[in-house]
PDB file of all heavy atoms in Angstrom:
ATOM      1  N   VAL A   9       0.836  -1.200   0.010  1.00  0.00           N
ATOM      2  CA  VAL A   9      -0.006   0.001  -0.005  1.00  0.00           C
ATOM      3  C   VAL A   9       0.868   1.241   0.006  1.00  0.00           C
ATOM      4  O   VAL A   9       0.614   2.229  -0.711  1.00  0.00           O
ATOM      5  CB  VAL A   9      -0.944  -0.025   1.210  1.00  0.00           C
ATOM      6  CG1 VAL A   9      -1.650   1.349   1.371  1.00  0.00           C
ATOM      7  CG2 VAL A   9      -1.989  -1.109   1.049  1.00  0.00           C
ATOM      8  N   PHE A  10       1.926   1.236   0.823  1.00  0.00           N
ATOM      9  CA  PHE A  10       2.841   2.381   0.856  1.00  0.00           C
ATOM     10  C   PHE A  10       3.465   2.675  -0.487  1.00  0.00           C
ATOM     11  O   PHE A  10       3.466   3.802  -0.960  1.00  0.00           O
ATOM     12  CB  PHE A  10       3.952   2.139   1.899  1.00  0.00           C
ATOM     13  CG  PHE A  10       5.060   3.134   1.839  1.00  0.00           C
ATOM     14  CD1 PHE A  10       4.916   4.395   2.384  1.00  0.00           C
ATOM     15  CD2 PHE A  10       6.251   2.828   1.195  1.00  0.00           C
ATOM     16  CE1 PHE A  10       5.943   5.320   2.302  1.00  0.00           C
ATOM     17  CE2 PHE A  10       7.281   3.741   1.115  1.00  0.00           C
ATOM     18  CZ  PHE A  10       7.130   5.020   1.680  1.00  0.00           C
ATOM     19  N   ALA A  11       3.978   1.613  -1.131  1.00  0.00           N
ATOM     20  CA  ALA A  11       4.653   1.802  -2.431  1.00  0.00           C
ATOM     21  C   ALA A  11       3.678   2.349  -3.469  1.00  0.00           C
ATOM     22  O   ALA A  11       4.011   3.273  -4.226  1.00  0.00           O
ATOM     23  CB  ALA A  11       5.251   0.501  -2.870  1.00  0.00           C
ATOM     24  N   LEU A  12       2.485   1.777  -3.525  1.00  0.00           N
ATOM     25  CA  LEU A  12       1.516   2.225  -4.521  1.00  0.00           C
ATOM     26  C   LEU A  12       1.080   3.663  -4.248  1.00  0.00           C
ATOM     27  O   LEU A  12       0.909   4.453  -5.200  1.00  0.00           O
ATOM     28  CB  LEU A  12       0.281   1.289  -4.498  1.00  0.00           C
ATOM     29  CG  LEU A  12       0.532  -0.120  -5.038  1.00  0.00           C
ATOM     30  CD1 LEU A  12      -0.661  -1.029  -4.763  1.00  0.00           C
ATOM     31  CD2 LEU A  12       0.837  -0.106  -6.544  1.00  0.00           C
ATOM     32  N   GLN A  13       0.889   4.015  -2.986  1.00  0.00           N
ATOM     33  CA  GLN A  13       0.497   5.372  -2.645  1.00  0.00           C
ATOM     34  C   GLN A  13       1.575   6.381  -3.005  1.00  0.00           C
ATOM     35  O   GLN A  13       1.311   7.444  -3.561  1.00  0.00           O
ATOM     36  CB  GLN A  13       0.142   5.439  -1.154  1.00  0.00           C
ATOM     37  CG  GLN A  13      -0.429   6.787  -0.709  1.00  0.00           C
ATOM     38  CD  GLN A  13       0.665   7.739  -0.242  1.00  0.00           C
ATOM     39  OE1 GLN A  13       1.687   7.287   0.286  1.00  0.00           O
ATOM     40  NE2 GLN A  13       0.460   9.038  -0.408  1.00  0.00           N
ATOM     41  N   GLN A  14       2.821   6.033  -2.710  1.00  0.00           N
ATOM     42  CA  GLN A  14       3.951   6.923  -3.043  1.00  0.00           C
ATOM     43  C   GLN A  14       4.094   7.088  -4.548  1.00  0.00           C
ATOM     44  O   GLN A  14       4.307   8.173  -5.049  1.00  0.00           O
ATOM     45  CB  GLN A  14       5.250   6.338  -2.460  1.00  0.00           C
ATOM     46  CG  GLN A  14       5.364   6.432  -0.954  1.00  0.00           C
ATOM     47  CD  GLN A  14       5.713   7.838  -0.496  1.00  0.00           C
ATOM     48  OE1 GLN A  14       6.728   8.385  -0.865  1.00  0.00           O
ATOM     49  NE2 GLN A  14       4.855   8.406   0.313  1.00  0.00           N
ATOM     50  N   ALA A  15       3.983   5.971  -5.271  1.00  0.00           N
ATOM     51  CA  ALA A  15       4.132   6.022  -6.717  1.00  0.00           C
ATOM     52  C   ALA A  15       3.044   6.853  -7.359  1.00  0.00           C
ATOM     53  O   ALA A  15       3.284   7.554  -8.358  1.00  0.00           O
ATOM     54  CB  ALA A  15       4.110   4.600  -7.310  1.00  0.00           C
ATOM     55  N   ALA A  16       1.850   6.830  -6.777  1.00  0.00           N
ATOM     56  CA  ALA A  16       0.735   7.581  -7.333  1.00  0.00           C
ATOM     57  C   ALA A  16       0.822   9.072  -7.018  1.00  0.00           C
ATOM     58  O   ALA A  16       0.452   9.920  -7.825  1.00  0.00           O
ATOM     59  CB  ALA A  16      -0.590   7.008  -6.802  1.00  0.00           C
ATOM     60  N   SER A  17       1.329   9.419  -5.784  1.00  0.00           N
ATOM     61  CA  SER A  17       1.307  10.796  -5.368  1.00  0.00           C
ATOM     62  C   SER A  17       2.579  11.563  -5.707  1.00  0.00           C
ATOM     63  O   SER A  17       2.545  12.777  -5.830  1.00  0.00           O
ATOM     64  CB  SER A  17       1.068  10.875  -3.842  1.00  0.00           C
ATOM     65  OG  SER A  17       2.135  10.265  -3.132  1.00  0.00           O
ATOM     66  N   SER A  18       3.727  10.878  -5.811  1.00  0.00           N
ATOM     67  CA  SER A  18       4.960  11.588  -6.108  1.00  0.00           C
ATOM     68  C   SER A  18       5.817  10.765  -7.089  1.00  0.00           C
ATOM     69  O   SER A  18       5.750  10.967  -8.288  1.00  0.00           O
ATOM     70  CB  SER A  18       5.747  11.914  -4.829  1.00  0.00           C
ATOM     71  OG  SER A  18       5.991  10.770  -4.056  1.00  0.00           O
ATOM     72  N   GLU A  19       6.604   9.832  -6.572  1.00  0.00           N
ATOM     73  CA  GLU A  19       7.369   8.927  -7.415  1.00  0.00           C
ATOM     74  C   GLU A  19       7.596   7.628  -6.664  1.00  0.00           C
ATOM     75  O   GLU A  19       7.535   7.570  -5.438  1.00  0.00           O
ATOM     76  CB  GLU A  19       8.696   9.563  -7.834  1.00  0.00           C
ATOM     77  CG  GLU A  19       9.647   9.848  -6.701  1.00  0.00           C
ATOM     78  CD  GLU A  19      10.952  10.435  -7.220  1.00  0.00           C
ATOM     79  OE1 GLU A  19      11.643   9.720  -7.940  1.00  0.00           O
ATOM     80  OE2 GLU A  19      11.262  11.584  -6.864  1.00  0.00           O
ATOM     81  N   PRO A  20       7.866   6.522  -7.370  1.00  0.00           N
ATOM     82  CA  PRO A  20       8.062   5.245  -6.722  1.00  0.00           C
ATOM     83  C   PRO A  20       9.211   5.302  -5.719  1.00  0.00           C
ATOM     84  O   PRO A  20      10.243   5.881  -5.999  1.00  0.00           O
ATOM     85  CB  PRO A  20       8.362   4.290  -7.866  1.00  0.00           C
ATOM     86  CG  PRO A  20       7.757   4.927  -9.067  1.00  0.00           C
ATOM     87  CD  PRO A  20       7.906   6.402  -8.855  1.00  0.00           C
ATOM     88  N   PRO A  21       9.044   4.722  -4.530  1.00  0.00           N
ATOM     89  CA  PRO A  21      10.131   4.684  -3.568  1.00  0.00           C
ATOM     90  C   PRO A  21      11.267   3.742  -4.054  1.00  0.00           C
ATOM     91  O   PRO A  21      11.053   2.897  -4.918  1.00  0.00           O
ATOM     92  CB  PRO A  21       9.466   4.161  -2.296  1.00  0.00           C
ATOM     93  CG  PRO A  21       8.267   3.406  -2.775  1.00  0.00           C
ATOM     94  CD  PRO A  21       7.817   4.097  -4.027  1.00  0.00           C
ATOM     95  N   LEU A  22      12.418   3.918  -3.450  1.00  0.00           N
ATOM     96  CA  LEU A  22      13.576   3.099  -3.778  1.00  0.00           C
ATOM     97  C   LEU A  22      13.993   2.275  -2.572  1.00  0.00           C
ATOM     98  O   LEU A  22      14.198   2.805  -1.486  1.00  0.00           O
ATOM     99  CB  LEU A  22      14.737   4.003  -4.202  1.00  0.00           C
ATOM    100  CG  LEU A  22      16.098   3.324  -4.500  1.00  0.00           C
ATOM    101  CD1 LEU A  22      15.987   2.403  -5.697  1.00  0.00           C
ATOM    102  CD2 LEU A  22      17.190   4.370  -4.727  1.00  0.00           C
ATOM    103  N   LEU A  23      14.090   0.969  -2.762  1.00  0.00           N
ATOM    104  CA  LEU A  23      14.524   0.042  -1.717  1.00  0.00           C
ATOM    105  C   LEU A  23      15.879  -0.536  -2.077  1.00  0.00           C
ATOM    106  O   LEU A  23      16.053  -1.150  -3.126  1.00  0.00           O
ATOM    107  CB  LEU A  23      13.477  -1.089  -1.559  1.00  0.00           C
ATOM    108  CG  LEU A  23      13.851  -2.248  -0.641  1.00  0.00           C
ATOM    109  CD1 LEU A  23      14.078  -1.745   0.786  1.00  0.00           C
ATOM    110  CD2 LEU A  23      12.763  -3.324  -0.655  1.00  0.00           C
ATOM    111  N   ILE A  24      16.855  -0.350  -1.204  1.00  0.00           N
ATOM    112  CA  ILE A  24      18.195  -0.880  -1.385  1.00  0.00           C
ATOM    113  C   ILE A  24      18.466  -1.901  -0.291  1.00  0.00           C
ATOM    114  O   ILE A  24      18.357  -1.577   0.904  1.00  0.00           O
ATOM    115  CB  ILE A  24      19.262   0.232  -1.357  1.00  0.00           C
ATOM    116  CG1 ILE A  24      18.974   1.272  -2.434  1.00  0.00           C
ATOM    117  CG2 ILE A  24      20.655  -0.363  -1.570  1.00  0.00           C
ATOM    118  CD1 ILE A  24      19.928   2.459  -2.422  1.00  0.00           C
ATOM    119  N   ILE A  25      18.788  -3.127  -0.670  1.00  0.00           N
ATOM    120  CA  ILE A  25      19.048  -4.232   0.264  1.00  0.00           C
ATOM    121  C   ILE A  25      20.534  -4.559   0.226  1.00  0.00           C
ATOM    122  O   ILE A  25      21.042  -5.030  -0.787  1.00  0.00           O
ATOM    123  CB  ILE A  25      18.235  -5.490  -0.093  1.00  0.00           C
ATOM    124  CG1 ILE A  25      16.732  -5.167  -0.219  1.00  0.00           C
ATOM    125  CG2 ILE A  25      18.488  -6.565   0.974  1.00  0.00           C
ATOM    126  CD1 ILE A  25      16.024  -4.981   1.013  1.00  0.00           C
ATOM    127  N   GLU A  26      21.252  -4.289   1.317  1.00  0.00           N
ATOM    128  CA  GLU A  26      22.626  -4.732   1.431  1.00  0.00           C
ATOM    129  C   GLU A  26      22.658  -6.162   1.937  1.00  0.00           C
ATOM    130  O   GLU A  26      21.732  -6.638   2.581  1.00  0.00           O
ATOM    131  CB  GLU A  26      23.420  -3.834   2.388  1.00  0.00           C
ATOM    132  CG  GLU A  26      23.609  -2.404   1.871  1.00  0.00           C
ATOM    133  CD  GLU A  26      24.506  -1.590   2.734  1.00  0.00           C
ATOM    134  OE1 GLU A  26      24.205  -1.420   3.937  1.00  0.00           O
ATOM    135  OE2 GLU A  26      25.537  -1.099   2.240  1.00  0.00           O
ATOM    136  N   ASN A  27      23.764  -6.894   1.619  1.00  0.00           N
ATOM    137  CA  ASN A  27      23.891  -8.290   2.005  1.00  0.00           C
ATOM    138  C   ASN A  27      22.671  -9.120   1.548  1.00  0.00           C
ATOM    139  O   ASN A  27      22.161  -9.967   2.277  1.00  0.00           O
ATOM    140  CB  ASN A  27      24.085  -8.436   3.520  1.00  0.00           C
ATOM    141  CG  ASN A  27      25.400  -7.843   3.991  1.00  0.00           C
ATOM    142  OD1 ASN A  27      26.449  -8.177   3.475  1.00  0.00           O
ATOM    143  ND2 ASN A  27      25.336  -6.949   4.974  1.00  0.00           N
ATOM    144  N   ALA A  28      22.251  -8.863   0.324  1.00  0.00           N
ATOM    145  CA  ALA A  28      21.059  -9.514  -0.207  1.00  0.00           C
ATOM    146  C   ALA A  28      21.263 -11.041  -0.279  1.00  0.00           C
ATOM    147  O   ALA A  28      20.285 -11.775  -0.204  1.00  0.00           O
ATOM    148  CB  ALA A  28      20.714  -8.961  -1.591  1.00  0.00           C
ATOM    149  N   HIS A  29      22.485 -11.506  -0.425  1.00  0.00           N
ATOM    150  CA  HIS A  29      22.749 -12.939  -0.505  1.00  0.00           C
ATOM    151  C   HIS A  29      22.449 -13.640   0.805  1.00  0.00           C
ATOM    152  O   HIS A  29      22.352 -14.875   0.812  1.00  0.00           O
ATOM    153  CB  HIS A  29      24.197 -13.183  -0.911  1.00  0.00           C
ATOM    154  CG  HIS A  29      25.211 -12.654   0.062  1.00  0.00           C
ATOM    155  ND1 HIS A  29      25.493 -11.315   0.195  1.00  0.00           N
ATOM    156  CD2 HIS A  29      25.973 -13.280   1.000  1.00  0.00           C
ATOM    157  CE1 HIS A  29      26.379 -11.119   1.141  1.00  0.00           C
ATOM    158  NE2 HIS A  29      26.695 -12.296   1.638  1.00  0.00           N
ATOM    159  N   GLU A  30      22.318 -12.924   1.907  1.00  0.00           N
ATOM    160  CA  GLU A  30      22.082 -13.542   3.206  1.00  0.00           C
ATOM    161  C   GLU A  30      20.618 -13.472   3.612  1.00  0.00           C
ATOM    162  O   GLU A  30      20.270 -13.816   4.757  1.00  0.00           O
ATOM    163  CB  GLU A  30      22.964 -12.889   4.270  1.00  0.00           C
ATOM    164  CG  GLU A  30      24.443 -13.160   4.050  1.00  0.00           C
ATOM    165  CD  GLU A  30      25.288 -12.872   5.274  1.00  0.00           C
ATOM    166  OE1 GLU A  30      24.783 -13.094   6.383  1.00  0.00           O
ATOM    167  OE2 GLU A  30      26.442 -12.454   5.115  1.00  0.00           O
ATOM    168  N   LEU A  31      19.747 -13.020   2.726  1.00  0.00           N
ATOM    169  CA  LEU A  31      18.319 -13.019   3.032  1.00  0.00           C
ATOM    170  C   LEU A  31      17.802 -14.471   3.120  1.00  0.00           C
ATOM    171  O   LEU A  31      18.217 -15.338   2.380  1.00  0.00           O
ATOM    172  CB  LEU A  31      17.538 -12.274   1.962  1.00  0.00           C
ATOM    173  CG  LEU A  31      17.573 -10.762   1.980  1.00  0.00           C
ATOM    174  CD1 LEU A  31      16.923 -10.225   0.714  1.00  0.00           C
ATOM    175  CD2 LEU A  31      16.835 -10.199   3.198  1.00  0.00           C
ATOM    176  N   ASN A  32      16.863 -14.669   4.058  1.00  0.00           N
ATOM    177  CA  ASN A  32      16.178 -15.934   4.142  1.00  0.00           C
ATOM    178  C   ASN A  32      15.382 -16.204   2.858  1.00  0.00           C
ATOM    179  O   ASN A  32      14.872 -15.252   2.252  1.00  0.00           O
ATOM    180  CB  ASN A  32      15.268 -15.886   5.388  1.00  0.00           C
ATOM    181  CG  ASN A  32      14.517 -17.135   5.659  1.00  0.00           C
ATOM    182  OD1 ASN A  32      13.598 -17.464   4.943  1.00  0.00           O
ATOM    183  ND2 ASN A  32      14.899 -17.825   6.729  1.00  0.00           N
ATOM    184  N   PRO A  33      15.279 -17.482   2.420  1.00  0.00           N
ATOM    185  CA  PRO A  33      14.492 -17.753   1.201  1.00  0.00           C
ATOM    186  C   PRO A  33      13.095 -17.188   1.221  1.00  0.00           C
ATOM    187  O   PRO A  33      12.574 -16.706   0.207  1.00  0.00           O
ATOM    188  CB  PRO A  33      14.492 -19.281   1.135  1.00  0.00           C
ATOM    189  CG  PRO A  33      15.781 -19.667   1.764  1.00  0.00           C
ATOM    190  CD  PRO A  33      15.984 -18.689   2.883  1.00  0.00           C
ATOM    191  N   SER A  34      12.425 -17.211   2.406  1.00  0.00           N
ATOM    192  CA  SER A  34      11.087 -16.646   2.468  1.00  0.00           C
ATOM    193  C   SER A  34      11.085 -15.150   2.247  1.00  0.00           C
ATOM    194  O   SER A  34      10.164 -14.587   1.667  1.00  0.00           O
ATOM    195  CB  SER A  34      10.471 -16.982   3.848  1.00  0.00           C
ATOM    196  OG  SER A  34      11.153 -16.325   4.906  1.00  0.00           O
ATOM    197  N   ALA A  35      12.158 -14.471   2.720  1.00  0.00           N
ATOM    198  CA  ALA A  35      12.268 -13.036   2.479  1.00  0.00           C
ATOM    199  C   ALA A  35      12.452 -12.749   1.003  1.00  0.00           C
ATOM    200  O   ALA A  35      11.953 -11.759   0.491  1.00  0.00           O
ATOM    201  CB  ALA A  35      13.425 -12.466   3.311  1.00  0.00           C
ATOM    202  N   LEU A  36      13.195 -13.590   0.308  1.00  0.00           N
ATOM    203  CA  LEU A  36      13.370 -13.439  -1.127  1.00  0.00           C
ATOM    204  C   LEU A  36      12.010 -13.552  -1.854  1.00  0.00           C
ATOM    205  O   LEU A  36      11.741 -12.829  -2.820  1.00  0.00           O
ATOM    206  CB  LEU A  36      14.347 -14.459  -1.668  1.00  0.00           C
ATOM    207  CG  LEU A  36      15.815 -14.229  -1.318  1.00  0.00           C
ATOM    208  CD1 LEU A  36      16.641 -15.453  -1.704  1.00  0.00           C
ATOM    209  CD2 LEU A  36      16.362 -13.004  -2.023  1.00  0.00           C
ATOM    210  N   ARG A  37      11.177 -14.479  -1.386  1.00  0.00           N
ATOM    211  CA  ARG A  37       9.843 -14.599  -1.995  1.00  0.00           C
ATOM    212  C   ARG A  37       9.009 -13.340  -1.790  1.00  0.00           C
ATOM    213  O   ARG A  37       8.272 -12.931  -2.665  1.00  0.00           O
ATOM    214  CB  ARG A  37       9.111 -15.827  -1.426  1.00  0.00           C
ATOM    215  CG  ARG A  37       9.665 -17.158  -1.909  1.00  0.00           C
ATOM    216  CD  ARG A  37       8.709 -18.292  -1.597  1.00  0.00           C
ATOM    217  NE  ARG A  37       8.576 -18.563  -0.182  1.00  0.00           N
ATOM    218  CZ  ARG A  37       9.387 -19.315   0.531  1.00  0.00           C
ATOM    219  NH1 ARG A  37      10.420 -19.918  -0.085  1.00  0.00           N
ATOM    220  NH2 ARG A  37       9.199 -19.522   1.805  1.00  0.00           N
ATOM    221  N   ALA A  38       9.144 -12.725  -0.604  1.00  0.00           N
ATOM    222  CA  ALA A  38       8.449 -11.462  -0.344  1.00  0.00           C
ATOM    223  C   ALA A  38       8.933 -10.374  -1.290  1.00  0.00           C
ATOM    224  O   ALA A  38       8.123  -9.589  -1.808  1.00  0.00           O
ATOM    225  CB  ALA A  38       8.633 -11.037   1.116  1.00  0.00           C
ATOM    226  N   LEU A  39      10.232 -10.303  -1.532  1.00  0.00           N
ATOM    227  CA  LEU A  39      10.757  -9.324  -2.487  1.00  0.00           C
ATOM    228  C   LEU A  39      10.188  -9.574  -3.877  1.00  0.00           C
ATOM    229  O   LEU A  39       9.930  -8.629  -4.624  1.00  0.00           O
ATOM    230  CB  LEU A  39      12.290  -9.413  -2.532  1.00  0.00           C
ATOM    231  CG  LEU A  39      13.059  -8.772  -1.368  1.00  0.00           C
ATOM    232  CD1 LEU A  39      14.553  -8.873  -1.631  1.00  0.00           C
ATOM    233  CD2 LEU A  39      12.656  -7.293  -1.166  1.00  0.00           C
ATOM    234  N   CYS A  40      10.034 -10.850  -4.247  1.00  0.00           N
ATOM    235  CA  CYS A  40       9.430 -11.149  -5.544  1.00  0.00           C
ATOM    236  C   CYS A  40       8.014 -10.612  -5.650  1.00  0.00           C
ATOM    237  O   CYS A  40       7.592 -10.107  -6.702  1.00  0.00           O
ATOM    238  CB  CYS A  40       9.439 -12.673  -5.802  1.00  0.00           C
ATOM    239  SG  CYS A  40      11.073 -13.319  -6.189  1.00  0.00           S
ATOM    240  N   GLU A  41       7.243 -10.720  -4.560  1.00  0.00           N
ATOM    241  CA  GLU A  41       5.904 -10.171  -4.548  1.00  0.00           C
ATOM    242  C   GLU A  41       5.941  -8.662  -4.769  1.00  0.00           C
ATOM    243  O   GLU A  41       5.176  -8.109  -5.552  1.00  0.00           O
ATOM    244  CB  GLU A  41       5.232 -10.483  -3.210  1.00  0.00           C
ATOM    245  CG  GLU A  41       4.890 -11.926  -2.966  1.00  0.00           C
ATOM    246  CD  GLU A  41       3.730 -12.390  -3.823  1.00  0.00           C
ATOM    247  OE1 GLU A  41       2.776 -11.615  -4.008  1.00  0.00           O
ATOM    248  OE2 GLU A  41       3.785 -13.548  -4.290  1.00  0.00           O
ATOM    249  N   LEU A  42       6.845  -7.985  -4.083  1.00  0.00           N
ATOM    250  CA  LEU A  42       6.948  -6.549  -4.215  1.00  0.00           C
ATOM    251  C   LEU A  42       7.441  -6.137  -5.605  1.00  0.00           C
ATOM    252  O   LEU A  42       7.073  -5.108  -6.121  1.00  0.00           O
ATOM    253  CB  LEU A  42       7.864  -6.002  -3.122  1.00  0.00           C
ATOM    254  CG  LEU A  42       7.364  -6.165  -1.693  1.00  0.00           C
ATOM    255  CD1 LEU A  42       8.439  -5.731  -0.702  1.00  0.00           C
ATOM    256  CD2 LEU A  42       6.084  -5.408  -1.460  1.00  0.00           C
ATOM    257  N   ALA A  43       8.291  -6.958  -6.193  1.00  0.00           N
ATOM    258  CA  ALA A  43       8.824  -6.666  -7.528  1.00  0.00           C
ATOM    259  C   ALA A  43       7.731  -6.638  -8.590  1.00  0.00           C
ATOM    260  O   ALA A  43       7.911  -6.040  -9.654  1.00  0.00           O
ATOM    261  CB  ALA A  43       9.894  -7.672  -7.894  1.00  0.00           C
ATOM    262  N   GLU A  44       6.638  -7.297  -8.343  1.00  0.00           N
ATOM    263  CA  GLU A  44       5.550  -7.364  -9.318  1.00  0.00           C
ATOM    264  C   GLU A  44       4.524  -6.243  -9.178  1.00  0.00           C
ATOM    265  O   GLU A  44       3.583  -6.182  -9.949  1.00  0.00           O
ATOM    266  CB  GLU A  44       4.865  -8.723  -9.246  1.00  0.00           C
ATOM    267  CG  GLU A  44       5.772  -9.887  -9.636  1.00  0.00           C
ATOM    268  CD  GLU A  44       5.015 -11.147  -9.901  1.00  0.00           C
ATOM    269  OE1 GLU A  44       4.421 -11.700  -8.935  1.00  0.00           O
ATOM    270  OE2 GLU A  44       5.006 -11.628 -11.034  1.00  0.00           O
ATOM    271  N   LEU A  45       4.713  -5.364  -8.192  1.00  0.00           N
ATOM    272  CA  LEU A  45       3.786  -4.232  -8.050  1.00  0.00           C
ATOM    273  C   LEU A  45       3.933  -3.284  -9.220  1.00  0.00           C
ATOM    274  O   LEU A  45       5.048  -2.893  -9.604  1.00  0.00           O
ATOM    275  CB  LEU A  45       4.093  -3.484  -6.733  1.00  0.00           C
ATOM    276  CG  LEU A  45       3.807  -4.211  -5.442  1.00  0.00           C
ATOM    277  CD1 LEU A  45       4.183  -3.348  -4.254  1.00  0.00           C
ATOM    278  CD2 LEU A  45       2.338  -4.602  -5.359  1.00  0.00           C
ATOM    279  N   ARG A  46       2.809  -2.894  -9.807  1.00  0.00           N
ATOM    280  CA  ARG A  46       2.820  -2.040 -10.991  1.00  0.00           C
ATOM    281  C   ARG A  46       1.955  -0.801 -10.797  1.00  0.00           C
ATOM    282  O   ARG A  46       0.922  -0.851 -10.128  1.00  0.00           O
ATOM    283  CB  ARG A  46       2.321  -2.816 -12.211  1.00  0.00           C
ATOM    284  CG  ARG A  46       3.220  -3.978 -12.637  1.00  0.00           C
ATOM    285  CD  ARG A  46       4.492  -3.455 -13.288  1.00  0.00           C
ATOM    286  NE  ARG A  46       5.307  -4.542 -13.818  1.00  0.00           N
ATOM    287  CZ  ARG A  46       6.233  -5.162 -13.103  1.00  0.00           C
ATOM    288  NH1 ARG A  46       6.449  -4.797 -11.843  1.00  0.00           N
ATOM    289  NH2 ARG A  46       6.939  -6.137 -13.657  1.00  0.00           N
ATOM    290  N   VAL A  47       2.412   0.277 -11.379  1.00  0.00           N
ATOM    291  CA  VAL A  47       1.570   1.483 -11.585  1.00  0.00           C
ATOM    292  C   VAL A  47       1.539   1.726 -13.095  1.00  0.00           C
ATOM    293  O   VAL A  47       2.216   1.051 -13.858  1.00  0.00           O
ATOM    294  CB  VAL A  47       2.116   2.688 -10.832  1.00  0.00           C
ATOM    295  CG1 VAL A  47       1.950   2.487  -9.329  1.00  0.00           C
ATOM    296  CG2 VAL A  47       3.577   2.950 -11.186  1.00  0.00           C
ATOM    297  N   ARG A  48       0.792   2.708 -13.506  1.00  0.00           N
ATOM    298  CA  ARG A  48       0.578   2.913 -14.947  1.00  0.00           C
ATOM    299  C   ARG A  48       1.873   3.087 -15.707  1.00  0.00           C
ATOM    300  O   ARG A  48       2.035   2.555 -16.816  1.00  0.00           O
ATOM    301  CB  ARG A  48      -0.293   4.170 -15.132  1.00  0.00           C
ATOM    302  CG  ARG A  48      -0.670   4.424 -16.604  1.00  0.00           C
ATOM    303  CD  ARG A  48      -1.670   5.540 -16.694  1.00  0.00           C
ATOM    304  NE  ARG A  48      -1.145   6.769 -16.134  1.00  0.00           N
ATOM    305  CZ  ARG A  48      -0.415   7.656 -16.802  1.00  0.00           C
ATOM    306  NH1 ARG A  48      -0.132   7.429 -18.065  1.00  0.00           N
ATOM    307  NH2 ARG A  48       0.030   8.739 -16.224  1.00  0.00           N
TER     308      ARG A  48
END
């Protein structure tokens, strides 16, 4: 909801993940969900 609201009102937010190789597999799946969020 936050990302969609930001993208609609100003510009898409930027998420930077350091040590991405150490994320839990379930966390990677969550990132995949967020990666599919679209605006116009």
Side-chain angles (χ1 to χ4, degrees):
V9 169
F10 169 79
L12 291 171
Q13 186 269 330
Q14 288 283 302
S17 65
S18 55
E19 63 178 297
L22 175 64
L23 172 61
I24 302 176
I25 307 284
E26 293 187 302
N27 294 307
H29 62 285
E30 295 196 33
L31 283 171
N32 182 287
S34 66
L36 287 170
R37 288 195 293 275
L39 284 183
C40 286
E41 291 287 322
L42 296 173
E44 294 195 295
L45 293 178
R46 294 288 186 270
V47 291
R48 184 173 60 86

